[in-house]
Amino acid sequence: MISALATLDRTLGRVTMYRLVTLVLAALALISLGLSALGMLPYAPLDILASGAVAIASTLVASRVMALLFRTRPHVESSLITALLVFFLFWPSSEPRDLAVVALASALATASKYVIAWRRRHILNPAAAGAMIVALLGFDSAVWWVATAAMLPFVVVGAALVLHRVRRFALAGVFIVASASILVGRLAWSGSTLLDATATAFVSYPIVFFAAFMLSEPLTLPPRRWQQLALAALVGALFGVVGLVFLGPVSLSFEMALVIGNIAAFAAGQRRRVSLRYVGRDDLTPTAARFTFAPAARVPFRAGQYIELTLPHDRADARGSRRVFTLSSAPGDDTVSVSLRMNDPSSSFKRTLAALRPGASVSATQVAGDFVLPRDEGVPVLLVARGIGVTPFVSQLADDRGRGRARDSVLVYEVASLRELAFSDELAEHSVVLVSPSEPQNLPATWRWAGAGPIDIDLLRREVPDAASRRAFVSGAPAMVTATAAALRRLGASRVTTDHFAGY
């Protein structure tokens, strides 16, 4: 099971989140076409092709127009995702009027990214916003035709892939429980058996699709996990009472429930753009570097959180112009820094970052994350990292040191070679168990060499005998994190917090 998850993590880690969602939605669209051809959906293949083509064309054109008006670059994959979501919301049809509604909804969805935005960050889920505005204008309402018995198995598989990639099963779970409980209660109250009510809730309502592809959109979520779970409960409750609640003359719809949640998330999240001035770069290892920035104003964050940098550039590759990196600086520092692996060949984003000249302006649109140590410094912690995954721990340990905290911490740090050992000076005063192919000379007094590794249950049991009594935190590549977290749980660790460096 662990091996299968590790393989899945490696596979999904090869593509960006945008690319994965695009591929999954495109696969669902093709599947719907095949089911239609087999007579398993009540829509003709031509209707599905026509609606899909119009949604994609309208979104791409609108994206190009809005990008020109706002003097920015269109994000093709983001536009495709929006188009495919709108496609699944409105009846497939080849009738001119119906296609005009799809085109309008797609264009409005795209425009909402630019118009209903704060500091160039959209506030509302674009597809939900477009569908809601079309309905408010008196045109057709969204029907969410993706919610059918024939499509459900494929939607579940696609949803599982996306939710696993972004580690948001808890978010989806809270939403599903909240929405399904209310819907099942409503259906049972109207006379359905509990089994029939449950089946109807999941087959005839877009619960799974909504959770995975709409609610989980990263840019419209609040920054902290507890806020995200509260949002899921709120939207789930609203989803469950769709059709029963009226907001003035308008009946609550699924897309309106999400828009209300988006507004609540915006109120809870960081709403100001972070302006940074590039200071410079220093190489940590032959394959990793630290990039330092001077903020125009203090950047509030907790050690272990990440920052989303925006770096527009020509010919952006699939990873786009926005990337998320864990902060390696401490909250009390005058500058902020991110440390990352510089692959060869690198992404277009990393190449642009490496080419920056001191003084260049860079913006950030989000600081968030829950990979933070307990506020109670009396809680002993075990920190486990491989490679550049040590980044959040460097920030956290520096923060503890700066605040005079005497936290009982042990860092198990694995590197592929001694040349890849980063932050040795910053970690010199901390208790470190080094895992490397060869033993280094002149280890700091608080360090010990544990052999070549890898980090597994035997190494952890031998080097950290009290691992079960410590709060555990694991950071690194997804496959390593999955395997290490499982080993810690087998050792008896009751709480393991993970941070997957999978790329965005």
Side-chain angles (χ1 to χ4, degrees), residues 51 54 90-105 134-135 137-141:
S51 293
V54 167
F90 290 89
W91 288 119
S93 172
S94 54
E95 293 295 325
R97 182 191 177 280
D98 295 334
L99 293 177
V101 172
V102 171
L104 179 61
V134 163
L137 290 175
F139 296 99
D140 297 341
S141 298

Side-chain angles (χ1 to χ4, degrees), residues 57-68 79 103 106-108 110-111 114:
S58 178
T59 303
L60 291 176
V61 170
S63 178
R64 181 63 178 171
V65 171
M66 298 305 295
L68 289 172
S79 299
S106 300
L108 290 172
T110 301
Y114 298 86

Side-chain angles (χ1 to χ4, degrees), residues 106-455:
S106 300
L108 290 172
T110 301
S112 73
K113 298 181 187 181
Y114 298 86
V115 178
I116 310 175
W118 182 264
R119 303 293 189 183
R120 296 187 178 182
R121 183 184 183 86
H122 64 260
I123 298 171
L124 308 180
N125 178 282
M132 185 185 73
I133 296 171
V134 163
L136 292 176
L137 290 175
F139 296 99
D140 297 341
S141 298
V143 295
W144 298 76
W145 65 269
V146 70
T148 63
M151 288 292 295
L152 182 59
F154 304 102
V155 170
V156 169
V157 173
L161 291 175
V162 170
L163 293 172
H164 179 76
R165 176 67 165 76
V166 295
R167 266 63 187 184
R168 290 206 170 95
F169 278 111
L171 174 84
V174 170
F175 167 80
I176 289 172
V177 169
S179 58
S181 297
I182 297 173
L183 287 172
V184 170
R186 287 176 56 183
L187 293 167
W189 181 264
S190 66
S192 297
T193 66
L194 185 60
L195 182 61
D196 288 342
T198 302
T200 300
F202 283 95
V203 171
S204 300
Y205 291 82
I207 293 177
V208 177
F209 185 88
F210 189 102
F213 301 104
M214 305 290 283
L215 180 64
S216 66
E217 187 202 12
L219 293 180
T220 53
L221 287 176
R224 300 302 305 276
R225 187 172 185 269
W226 70 267
Q227 294 172 328
Q228 294 173 7
L229 298 183
L231 172 69
L234 168 65
V235 177
L238 293 172
F239 187 101
V241 297
V242 161
L244 296 180
V245 175
F246 285 80
L247 303 177
V250 182
S251 174
L252 180 67
S253 62
F254 297 133
E255 55 272 18
M256 194 177 296
L258 182 56
V259 166
I260 292 172
N262 293 157
I263 295 171
F266 173 72
Q270 178 174 302
R271 297 180 295 279
R272 66 183 183 86
R273 176 172 172 267
V274 179
S275 296
L276 305 171
R277 178 177 54 81
Y278 180 57
V279 174
R281 161 186 176 170
D282 58 293
D283 293 327
L284 300 168
T285 75
T287 61
R290 173 168 50 198
F291 295 85
T292 302
F293 305 86
R298 180 179 174 273
V299 180
F301 70 95
R302 287 188 64 186
Q305 291 189 306
Y306 60 80
I307 190 168
E308 183 185 59
L309 298 180
T310 300
L311 201 60
H313 56 281
D314 293 325
R315 297 182 180 178
D317 61 18
R319 292 185 177 269
S321 59
R322 286 196 301 258
R323 295 288 297 276
V324 168
F325 301 104
T326 299
L327 288 156
S328 53
S329 51
D333 294 349
D334 293 332
T335 58
V336 296
S337 63
V338 296
S339 301
L340 52 139
R341 184 176 177 83
M342 301 299 291
N343 300 321
D344 187 16
S346 290
S347 64
S348 64
F349 184 101
K350 288 185 178 180
R351 291 196 300 271
T352 304
L353 180 62
L356 286 178
R357 294 181 178 275
S361 296
V362 177
S363 65
T365 52
Q366 184 183 38
V367 177
D370 289 281
F371 196 73
V372 296
L373 299 185
R375 290 187 182 274
D376 181 2
E377 65 180 84
V379 177
V381 296
L382 168 60
L383 318 175
V384 186
R386 190 178 196 281
I388 202 62
V390 75
T391 294
F393 300 138
V394 172
S395 174
Q396 291 163 346
L397 294 174
D399 186 44
D400 278 351
R401 186 170 60 248
R403 296 175 184 270
R405 292 172 176 158
R407 191 189 304 273
D408 178 4
S409 63
V410 176
L411 169 62
V412 180
Y413 180 18
E414 181 182 5
V415 293
S417 72
L418 292 180
R419 297 181 67 201
E420 296 299 323
L421 179 59
F423 301 108
S424 55
D425 291 341
E426 290 86 343
L427 299 172
E429 299 177 7
H430 297 281
S431 177
V432 176
V433 177
L434 179 63
V435 182
S436 60
S438 58
E439 182 177 6
Q441 298 179 350
N442 303 318
L443 278 177
T446 56
W447 289 35
R448 65 180 182 275
W449 183 58
I455 298 174

Side-chain angles (χ1 to χ4, degrees), residues 20-44:
L20 176 62
V21 175
T22 303
L23 291 174
V24 170
L25 290 174
L28 290 176
L30 290 175
I31 288 168
S32 73
L33 186 63
L35 293 175
S36 172
L38 293 173
M40 299 176 68
L41 290 177
Y43 326 110

